[in-house]
Amino acid sequence: DRRGRLPRDTQDARGHAGRYVAMEATNRINDLIDITSHLVDLLARENHALREKRPREVSALLEEKNNLTRAYETRIDGLSELVKNPEELDEVDSELRERLHGLGEKVNLMVDENARLLKVAIDANKRVVEAIAEAVKTSQPGPGTYSAKGAVGAVGANGSSQNVSFTLDRSL
């Protein structure tokens, strides 16, 4: 209601609102554990695909990764509210808190590995694109040049003309 009290139906059988708060905190922790577990699994699959150089698998995971990441960030923000009220967090089973802490460490390691593997893949793709662009550039014929006898001959980008053309300014 407007006075900040919980509605009657959210209080436990003994009329104790604290039980509801602990239950809500536990539900939040369980929800975060579930999402974090899915994110760890997805990152493991993506990291494996990156190590095996399977870009189609990586692409196929992108939408799910974006959805899980958004959900994870939202739940982490919600957990920040719980941390502001340690008495609520103390009501959560210690095994759940430890499990969440362990998963948090694991997801952080997986994210770091994922970032490294993505950087390697991006850099490798960039080098391939640059090598292809350089190969195309060097295979293109250069402008035609006139030979000493006036014939036009194509000289490749790596080649150079044997004859040098120049102009003389007689106005001096």
Side-chain angles (χ1 to χ4, degrees), residues 22-91:
M23 209 168 72
E24 183 181 335
T26 298
N27 288 341
R28 283 184 174 188
I29 298 291
N30 279 324
D31 191 36
L32 184 56
I33 286 171
D34 187 46
I35 289 169
T36 305
S37 296
H38 283 89
L39 186 57
V40 165
D41 177 57
L42 182 129
L43 288 169
R45 288 184 287 146
E46 183 178 54
N47 290 349
H48 178 73
L50 286 165
R51 278 191 298 277
E52 298 295 318
K53 296 171 184 56
R54 296 187 203 150
R56 285 191 180 116
E57 284 182 41
V58 173
S59 294
L61 296 171
L62 187 59
E63 185 177 349
E64 183 182 359
K65 181 181 178 182
N66 286 336
N67 292 337
L68 276 173
T69 302
R70 279 194 295 276
Y72 178 78
E73 289 172 351
T74 301
R75 296 323 186 277
I76 289 294
D77 288 345
L79 186 65
S80 301
E81 294 173 22
L82 280 178
V83 173
K84 291 176 186 174
N85 300 314
E87 62 278 356
E88 291 178 30
L89 202 53
D90 289 341
E91 295 293 324

Side-chain angles (χ1 to χ4, degrees), residues 145-146 155 160-164:
T145 57
Y146 290 101
V155 177
S160 62
S161 177
Q162 295 287 334
N163 301 315
V164 178

Side-chain angles (χ1 to χ4, degrees), residues 48-170:
H48 178 73
L50 286 165
R51 278 191 298 277
E52 298 295 318
K53 296 171 184 56
R54 296 187 203 150
R56 285 191 180 116
E57 284 182 41
V58 173
S59 294
L61 296 171
L62 187 59
E63 185 177 349
E64 183 182 359
K65 181 181 178 182
N66 286 336
N67 292 337
L68 276 173
T69 302
R70 279 194 295 276
Y72 178 78
E73 289 172 351
T74 301
R75 296 323 186 277
I76 289 294
D77 288 345
L79 186 65
S80 301
E81 294 173 22
L82 280 178
V83 173
K84 291 176 186 174
N85 300 314
E87 62 278 356
E88 291 178 30
L89 202 53
D90 289 341
E91 295 293 324
V92 175
D93 183 52
S94 63
E95 285 183 31
L96 278 179
R97 288 182 297 184
E98 289 173 24
R99 184 171 174 209
L100 179 61
H101 182 71
L103 279 171
E105 288 179 351
K106 188 170 186 174
V107 82
N108 286 335
L109 291 172
M110 300 291 287
V111 165
D112 289 344
E113 180 183 9
N114 187 257
R116 281 191 306 275
L117 290 168
L118 283 170
K119 183 177 181 343
V120 167
I122 289 167
D123 289 347
N125 284 335
K126 185 178 177 183
R127 284 191 303 274
V128 167
V129 168
E130 288 171 352
I132 291 170
E134 185 61 31
V136 168
K137 191 167 97 175
T138 58
S139 70
Q140 295 294 321
T145 57
Y146 290 101
S147 69
K149 296 182 181 172
V152 177
V155 177
N158 288 335
S160 62
S161 177
Q162 295 287 334
N163 301 315
V164 178
S165 73
F166 67 94
T167 59
L168 179 60
D169 185 358
R170 294 184 183 204

